[in-house]
Amino acid sequence: MSFSSLGLFPDILRAVSDAGYTEPTPIQAQAIPVVLEGRDIMAGAQTGTGKTAAFTLPLLHRLTPYANTSTSPAMHPVRGLILTPTRELAIQVEESVRDYSRYVALRSAAVFGGVNIKPQIQTMQRGVEILVATPGRLLDLMQQKSVTLGKVDILVLDEADRMLDMGFYEDIAEIVAATPGHRQTLLFSATYPEAIKDISASMQNNPGRVSIEAAHTQDKIKQLFFEVADKGKRAAALVTLLGHYHPASCVIFCNTKLQCQAIADTLQEKGFSALALHGDLEQRDRDQVLLRFSNKSCAILVATDVAARGIDIKDLEAVINFELSHDPEVHIHRIGRTGRAGKSGLALSLYIAAESHRVNAIEDYQKNPISLSALDTLKVNQKLDLRPPMVTLCIEGGRKNKVRPGDIPGALTNESGITGDQVGKIDIFDHQAYVAIERSSVDKALQQLTRGKIKGRYFKVRKLQ
Ligand code: AMP
């Protein structure tokens, strides 16, 4: 099947082709025609299945008649509202909206908590047709009369199950009540607990059911289970797995925040580049962890399920379950983070004999036999270079200092002998900018940025280790 056969407007197809997509993923092939018909849908799809484009592309198509270049805010009321559980997901979804709408004159913005509300109020005052929001912050903006939802045609609840887990039910209900009754409602959820069915029953109108079998994604994931003699040996088993498979990027799942931090500390002591991601981190630390992982200056992320939600890492080589989840659905969700977009993935799980029932529950749930492997058959390469390929430099100047992504490569490659291909991902925040540099050139880069000016100014620069 091709994208063009779905009937999307040419300006949207052009953006899809720019993104390099050649054919729709299964969830897109199923969901897009139903949404284009104007029907509600209830879609079962995890991150990694292409779900964002599955709702964004038809949403843009249906909102295209509202596209306009007027500067009057009145001409840009919110027409499409996408609710997401986390700030990270909101940012990612809005980036996708912007990518796919690059040839359509529709404005978009993301609003989320944990940051200053004023710039978001200003953005809303200028008007946007497509708003991506976390529920709490959206309610704040509504209470301040900075947003009205009376013109919403399409409402998307993305990762609805997670929004419920995070206690957003009341907030969602209040937001939905502020939208017109005739709106189209698209509900995306990885799992279907009763509460999701209730939400669908109360907020949707005869929704089309769309889902893709978990097996579709599992085909590409090699899943291995390793029994560990007792709890105390888990950490050593983890080190064996990392030493044998040596994934270039991996997420290790733990069931608690404490465990998460302890494992990250243990791995760091052993020379691995590992960082913990859990709910107790300050927003700024969380941002740093995520950007270091995505720019390849940290290879291992040790995360809880909640913290890992909404992070989209494209080339995750492996997922490791330090401890099995209590819920087989969560397990499938975890391992679905590897083997994405056509690539093969590796999912490794540790368990002790007392947790065999969890292994059985997973086997039943996925309707596929599980392969048990033995740790003592794995060979560990002792001479591995455990250091990640890149190192992050933090520049103490960001958007508020008028530093833009394009300024940094220029400042770096000027006279220093550093070439553009040694410069990796650049992330700009309000007060800091981060740039990944190939390990072999990082000292030279640090010197260059410390001694030279960016945008005519000197900034403090340091290595994140
Ligand atoms: P999502 O499930 O929305 O988080 O998307 C997972 C990844 O798949 C993202 O990196 C998308 O850019 C990518 N993607 C989405 N649709 C397609 C497609 N039709 N072909 C190839 N990659 C896609």
Side-chain angles (χ1 to χ4, degrees):
M1 180 190 259
S2 69
F3 271 105
S4 50
S5 65
L6 293 171
L8 292 162
F9 286 131
D11 283 342
I12 298 172
L13 291 175
R14 218 168 118 207
V16 166
S17 145
D18 287 359
Y21 306 161
T22 47
E23 57 178 54
T25 64
I27 192 74
Q28 291 163 3
Q30 289 185 46
I32 292 173
V34 185
V35 182
L36 288 180
E37 271 177 35
R39 286 189 61 192
D40 286 0
I41 57 167
M42 182 168 169
Q46 317 168 6
T47 317
T49 53
K51 69 179 169 69
T52 314
F55 59 74
T56 305
L57 298 176
L59 175 142
L60 290 172
H61 178 102
R62 291 187 49 81
L63 299 183
T64 295
Y66 298 119
N68 70 85
T69 51
S70 161
T71 50
S72 156
M75 294 297 287
H76 302 275
V78 178
R79 307 278 186 184
L81 173 63
I82 304 170
L83 294 182
T84 69
T86 63
R87 152 200 161 107
E88 282 79 17
L89 188 61
I91 294 173
Q92 252 172 48
V93 168
E94 201 264 334
E95 276 172 5
S96 300
V97 171
R98 224 178 311 156
D99 271 353
Y100 304 141
S101 65
R102 56 165 60 156
Y103 303 114
V104 186
L106 289 168
R107 298 182 184 175
S108 63
V111 295
F112 39 79
V115 296
N116 189 349
I117 198 167
K118 283 206 188 106
Q120 296 178 352
I121 293 177
Q122 286 160 2
T123 304
M124 296 315 303
Q125 281 166 348
R126 287 193 291 273
V128 297
E129 278 88 9
I130 302 163
L131 182 62
V132 188
T134 54
R137 178 51 62 95
L138 178 58
L139 278 180
D140 291 344
L141 288 162
M142 286 162 64
Q143 270 146 19
Q144 302 204 10
K145 309 244 178 303
S146 300
V147 183
T148 50
L149 302 179
K151 292 265 187 336
V152 168
D153 276 352
I154 305 182
L155 169 69
V156 182
L157 303 175
D158 189 15
E159 301 204 354
D161 50 350
R162 185 54 52 166
M163 287 201 276
L164 294 184
D165 284 352
M166 292 172 72
F168 283 139
Y169 179 83
E170 310 274 310
D171 289 0
I172 294 173
E174 197 173 335
I175 292 166
V176 170
T179 62
H182 60 71
R183 65 167 195 275
Q184 184 179 5
T185 309
L186 317 179
L187 186 155
F188 280 73
S189 186
T191 57
Y192 280 122
E194 279 307 310
I196 287 291
K197 292 176 194 147
D198 292 348
I199 277 224
S200 171
S202 62
M203 300 178 190
Q204 294 196 289
N205 175 18
N206 183 26
R209 289 287 292 261
V210 178
S211 78
I212 49 162
E213 291 293 320
H216 273 296
T217 41
Q218 283 178 34
D219 286 349
K220 292 180 294 174
I221 301 172
K222 181 171 175 194
Q223 234 201 127
L224 301 171
F225 287 75
F226 297 88
E227 185 173 342
V228 184
D230 62 69
K231 264 193 203 157
K233 303 226 164 63
R234 268 189 217 274
L238 177 65
V239 170
T240 304
L241 293 181
L242 290 170
H244 177 81
Y245 292 100
H246 195 231
S249 62
C250 102
V251 172
I252 298 173
F253 282 102
C254 292
N255 290 352
T256 66
K257 295 174 197 171
L258 272 180
Q259 201 176 44
C260 214
Q261 192 62 56
I263 294 303
D265 293 347
T266 306
L267 291 177
Q268 279 168 14
E269 277 162 26
K270 298 206 178 287
F272 290 95
S273 80
L275 293 172
L277 183 73
H278 53 68
D280 284 351
L281 296 181
E282 297 281 333
Q283 192 66 53
R284 188 180 147 167
D285 294 331
R286 217 177 129 72
D287 287 339
Q288 274 196 9
V289 168
L290 285 172
L291 78 90
R292 287 171 71 182
F293 189 63
S294 69
N295 74 13
K296 299 192 169 32
S297 66
C298 159
I300 303 171
L301 202 59
V302 190
T304 56
D305 291 298
V306 170
R309 263 293 171 142
I311 56 172
D312 174 31
I313 307 288
K314 292 195 172 66
D315 294 310
L316 200 54
E317 231 175 80
V319 166
I320 302 181
N321 293 303
F322 181 73
E323 191 181 337
L324 286 177
S325 163
H326 303 271
D327 180 347
E329 280 187 21
V330 173
H331 176 84
I332 299 298
H333 205 94
R334 285 180 178 181
I335 69 168
R337 294 177 167 278
T338 178
R340 286 199 186 174
K343 296 206 169 115
S344 60
L346 180 67
L348 310 169
S349 300
L350 298 174
Y351 70 98
I352 55 173
E355 291 161 357
S356 299
H357 63 283
R358 294 191 197 165
V359 179
N360 296 336
I362 292 167
E363 193 162 40
D364 287 349
Y365 183 82
Q366 67 179 27
K367 300 189 185 69
N368 248 332
I370 264 168
S371 38
L372 301 180
S373 308
L375 281 163
D376 54 14
T377 60
L378 300 182
K379 285 201 189 66
V380 174
N381 182 351
Q382 303 291 354
K383 294 211 192 87
L384 278 181
D385 184 355
L386 299 174
R387 296 173 310 171
M390 310 296 276
V391 177
T392 301
L393 293 181
C394 170
I395 301 163
E396 292 294 338
R399 238 176 258 130
K400 295 269 182 247
N401 312 86
K402 306 257 184 296
V403 175
R404 304 195 158 274
D407 302 330
I408 294 173
L412 266 172
T413 49
N414 246 342
E415 307 159 21
S416 66
I418 293 174
T419 56
D421 56 4
Q422 293 168 318
V423 181
K425 196 162 172 276
I426 295 171
D427 295 273
I428 313 262
F429 292 79
D430 279 354
H431 303 286
Q432 277 89 23
Y434 299 87
V435 54
I437 307 284
E438 263 183 24
R439 179 170 295 281
S440 59
S441 307
V442 71
D443 290 324
K444 231 173 5 180
L446 179 60
Q447 223 174 41
Q448 168 78 15
L449 286 179
T450 311
R451 291 193 190 150
K453 291 181 181 174
I454 304 172
K455 272 280 167 76
R457 269 189 60 184
Y458 292 103
F459 290 102
K460 268 199 199 140
V461 185
R462 63 195 165 89
K463 260 195 257 184
L464 296 185
Q465 307 266 17

